[in-house]
């Protein structure tokens, strides 16, 4: 991740700031969609509380 950040150029960053739609879609999916999906899966499969909590924790922080 550090190498990817070091390889970015200022022009690429400015293009992402000018057209932020893909960034906003990714942010929405990681902060809203994935936790709701993990909660829905826990309800559908009727998982126990510990497994549901683990699934929700994983869905809330997918990058880790």
């Amino acid at each position: 991740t550090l190498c990817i950040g070091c390889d970015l150029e200022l022009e690429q960053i400015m293009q992402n700031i000018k057209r932020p739609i893909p960034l906003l879609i990714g942010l929405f999916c990681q902060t809203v969609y994935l936790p709701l999906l993990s909660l829905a899966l826990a309800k559908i499969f009727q998982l126990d509380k510990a497994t549901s909590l683990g699934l929700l924790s994983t869905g809330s922080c997918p990058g880790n």
Side-chain angles (χ1 to χ4, degrees), residues 11-62:
E11 182 179 317
Q12 293 171 334
I13 296 171
M14 293 306 293
Q15 286 176 351
N16 287 333
I17 291 174
K18 290 179 184 176
R19 300 190 68 166
I21 300 299
L23 294 174
L24 293 175
I25 291 172
L27 183 64
F28 172 79
C29 287
Q30 285 189 350
T31 58
V32 176
Y33 181 70
L34 282 175
L36 287 177
L37 181 63
S38 64
L39 183 64
L41 288 173
K43 295 290 183 183
I44 289 170
F45 293 113
Q46 299 175 353
L47 301 174
D48 60 0
K49 290 182 181 182
T51 307
S52 296
L53 181 61
L55 183 63
L56 185 61
S57 298
T58 304
S60 297
C61 52

